[in-house]
Amino acid sequence: MKVTRRHFTMTAGAALGAALLPRRGWAGASVEMGSARIDVLSDGHLILPGGFILGDLPADEVAPILARYGLDGNEFRPDCNVTLYRDGTNTVLFDVGSGNDFMPSAGKLPEALDALGVSAEEVTHVVFTHGHPDHLWGLLDEFDEPLFANASFMIGRTERDYWTDPNTVSTIDPARQTFAVGAKRRLDAIADLVEVFEDGAEILPGIAARATIGHTPGHMAFEIRQGNEAAMVLGDCIGNHHLAFERPDWLSGSDQDKPLAAETRVGLLDQLAAEQTRLIGFHLPFPGIGRAERFESGYRYVPED
């Protein structure tokens, strides 16, 4: 095990910290797939203004859909669901949550791992869907060293290149410039440890990358297969359980390339519903495990029991 300043500090203060710090209540969910196990861990939730999701959508058509889900559209509080995959050889995290620098309501992944009895040092691979703060900013600890000190880091080539490009900060929407600065700093910190991959690559045994672009330029989802069972880790290509399902063709204010993201959603939901593939959504209601089924002219999210 690589010893870092973080490891030294935690080892020296572990007993004191356990005695003094209150333990946050936490719940998780797990799915067995063949010889593998998938756990979904809570990183907390975000607090977003309605306009971030709704953009310029027609209010008279949006309102009845949101009402079905008990939402008024003034504010959204999406859950942040981090997927942990273990097959006996590999311990894989899909995304790492927000860390302490984004929103106080998020950044709870270390507590969730602790509650599950999994240490950061046990994680063998960290796989990123994309470079937004709630997926990437939990990468580094308080010393700007990788929190998952023994892990290999994996990200799609296009996504890596976009966020590490020094021109991105000046070409991205001004409201997202902090996203660009934060992503570059974190990806630069692990530049020598990162493995990049392309669409369709089997990045680990039984795990294949699928380009689901639009939300970000190189967004990836991941299909996990064990025998006849499959699950799709979505990231943010399907970003909520209401409008994204019922009207996937609508443009979402959360996406960078809105038309392309809508095209991706429509095609992906058509496949997921037709094949009844289990899905795991980062921002679906915790734990975000379920399936898509056809509903009226669109789809609906059906949580797994």
Side-chain angles (χ1 to χ4, degrees):
M1 179 175 68
K2 182 173 72 176
V3 178
T4 66
R5 285 178 294 164
R6 174 184 171 274
H7 179 260
F8 179 81
T9 302
M10 288 184 66
T11 302
L16 179 62
L20 297 181
L21 294 177
R23 191 178 183 88
R24 185 176 71 96
W26 178 86
S30 64
V31 173
E32 302 288 339
M33 285 182 56
S35 60
R37 169 174 169 155
I38 295 173
D39 291 277
V40 179
L41 312 179
S42 174
D43 191 54
H45 67 275
L46 304 182
I47 303 174
L48 303 173
F52 183 78
I53 303 294
L54 302 180
D56 297 323
L57 294 178
D60 58 332
E61 296 182 59
V62 167
I65 297 175
L66 293 183
R68 280 201 283 272
Y69 299 88
L71 302 168
D72 61 18
N74 294 321
E75 181 181 89
F76 293 99
R77 296 193 170 211
D79 289 322
C80 297
N81 308 316
V82 176
T83 301
L84 176 71
Y85 171 85
R86 290 178 285 178
D87 63 8
T89 300
N90 299 307
T91 297
V92 184
L93 271 179
F94 293 89
D95 296 327
V96 291
S98 295
N100 296 323
D101 297 334
F102 189 47
M103 291 188 182
S105 58
K108 314 303 182 186
L109 178 60
E111 296 174 49
L113 285 167
D114 181 61
L116 193 64
V118 176
S119 71
E121 288 79 12
E122 291 177 71
V123 175
T124 61
H125 299 81
V126 172
V127 180
F128 296 108
T129 61
H130 64 297
H132 278 172
D134 48 329
H135 299 256
L136 177 67
W137 284 17
L139 174 63
L140 303 180
D141 64 15
E142 62 270 28
F143 301 112
D144 275 356
E145 293 171 341
L147 180 62
F148 304 97
N150 298 321
S152 299
F153 300 95
M154 311 176 79
I155 189 170
R157 184 183 302 277
T158 299
E159 191 74 0
R160 190 277 310 269
D161 290 351
Y162 178 75
W163 293 111
T164 55
D165 184 343
N167 294 317
T168 294
V169 70
S170 59
T171 57
I172 200 170
D173 183 325
R176 301 178 188 231
Q177 286 179 333
T178 56
F179 291 14
V181 172
K184 188 175 190 309
R185 180 169 75 82
R186 288 163 174 83
L187 290 173
D188 283 351
I190 59 168
D192 295 336
L193 306 172
V194 171
E195 177 182 343
V196 296
F197 54 83
E198 309 291 348
D199 178 29
E202 184 177 34
I203 61 170
L204 289 165
I207 303 176
R210 170 162 178 179
T212 45
I213 57 178
H215 183 69
T216 61
H219 189 286
M220 290 281 182
F222 299 93
E223 184 180 63
I224 300 172
R225 283 202 171 271
Q226 283 278 329
N228 295 324
E229 294 187 86
M232 185 81 76
V233 179
L234 297 175
D236 284 6
C237 55
I238 300 174
N240 60 65
H241 64 296
H242 38 84
L243 297 179
F245 278 82
E246 293 206 21
R247 291 301 306 264
D249 57 315
W250 278 357
L251 306 187
S252 172
S254 67
D255 297 323
Q256 284 185 234
D257 186 330
K258 297 174 180 57
L260 183 55
E263 181 181 334
T264 293
R265 269 193 305 278
V266 170
L268 185 58
L269 280 167
D270 182 66
Q271 176 191 342
L272 290 171
E275 298 177 358
Q276 280 300 284
T277 301
R278 175 185 282 129
L279 57 88
I280 306 173
F282 193 90
H283 289 309
L284 301 183
F286 183 80
I289 305 172
R291 300 180 194 271
E293 67 176 28
R294 298 190 184 280
F295 174 69
E296 296 183 350
S297 60
Y299 305 86
R300 66 180 170 189
Y301 170 61
V302 181
E304 191 163 291
D305 294 332

